[in-house]
Amino acid sequence: MLKAKHILEESIIELCNSGSLTGCIRMADLGCSSGPNTLLLVKQTIETVDLICKKLNREIPTLQVFMNDLPGNDFNAIFRSLPSFYEQLPLCKDKCYIAAMPGSFYGRPFPDRFLHFVHSSYSLHWRSQVPEGLRSESGSRMNKGNIYIAKTSPPSVRQNYLDSFRKDFTLFLSFCSAEMVTGGLLFLTIVATGDSDGHLNQGRIQHFKVGWPRLGSSNLNSTGLIEESKLESFDLPYYVPTMEEVRQVVGEEGSFELHRHETLGVAWDSGINASIN
Ligand SMILES: C[S@@+](CC[C@H](N)C(=O)[O-])C[C@H]1O[C@@H](n2cnc3c(N)ncnc32)[C@H](O)[C@@H]1O
């Protein structure tokens, strides 16, 4: 999020300059989670809006923020952290109204033409469900020994994952477009790879290479940590698209114009020390 900050700021400036804002900016963070990053978006947004308003000698609008995630998310932890957040950022106390909106972003959590600004970071790689087609007609597993696309996966498995990404992302865009006002801003940070045929070989998302594929191999099974039958019944509802795949869906779905895209390199273990200490 820190790496994407400059793009976020420029995008909010464009949104404000488009003049489509009323006295209250309604925004949503889809897949907000409940950790140290959760309120960072609110902070970055209000600070940028404040800066623009000061430059334009305009009164700062109110921000109504809807924190969205699946119902199992710890929304209470977000609300418990609000007093210290407001203390650090008095501007937010006066100008931000923060609420929770639980529900899948592959559904319709918001009314029609409601939101000016929709943000989602590091969440759209999660599929709405395990892709279809990972079992044969007789029920046997097509991706034997793996829980995601791996070197030993048949090509059909990769296609199944891609199809499920395309279906979910298309739905996501069409729902967002219904929920957003004309001229609104959709700002997405998506985990993506530059590798179009084997996500595990040269993809930038290194943690697949060193982490999860091992979970899917017999290594984990041989340590006795998990029964083979459990391992063999598990498929990750996860897909890391290429930028081209993202572009294609945006173009085909047709509700949004892709104004800008930028690739931000992030190491798989970025920040790991910070979270341990
Ligand atoms: C890696 S966290 C991202 C947290 C935060 N946005 C960030 O950038 O640090 C991904 C979040 O997406 C949420 N998520 C996954 N699928 C979702 C869905 N269908 N609807 C809403 N939230 C979802 C998960 O519950 C999780 O909290």
Side-chain angles (χ1 to χ4, degrees), residues 102-140:
S104 173
F105 50 58
Y106 296 121
R108 276 290 312 266
F110 299 98
D112 281 352
R113 299 188 176 280
F114 184 70
L115 298 166
H116 299 97
F117 173 30
V118 175
H119 174 271
S120 181
S121 159
Y122 270 75
S123 302
L124 280 162
H125 50 285
W126 288 113
R127 305 279 42 84
S128 60
Q129 56 182 35
V130 168
E132 288 169 11
L134 297 182
R135 295 278 185 280
S136 71
E137 275 181 15
S138 64
S140 64

Side-chain angles (χ1 to χ4, degrees), residues 81-114:
S81 70
L82 285 180
S84 68
F85 177 70
Y86 286 142
E87 207 175 304
Q88 286 161 27
L89 212 68
L91 181 63
C92 273
K93 189 167 186 188
D94 296 335
K95 287 293 175 182
C96 291
Y97 293 81
I98 299 178
M101 184 58 85
S104 173
F105 50 58
Y106 296 121
R108 276 290 312 266
F110 299 98
D112 281 352
R113 299 188 176 280
F114 184 70

Side-chain angles (χ1 to χ4, degrees), residues 187-203:
F187 188 95
L188 305 177
T189 303
I190 302 179
V191 182
T193 175
D195 182 5
S196 61
D197 38 51
H199 281 49
L200 304 181
N201 298 338
Q202 290 136 31

Side-chain angles (χ1 to χ4, degrees), residues 33-52:
S33 191
S34 58
N37 286 351
T38 302
L39 294 169
L40 189 58
L41 170 75
V42 184
K43 177 178 185 294
Q44 290 179 346
T45 306
I46 195 79
E47 284 179 345
T48 309
V49 172
D50 183 45
L51 208 70
I52 302 164

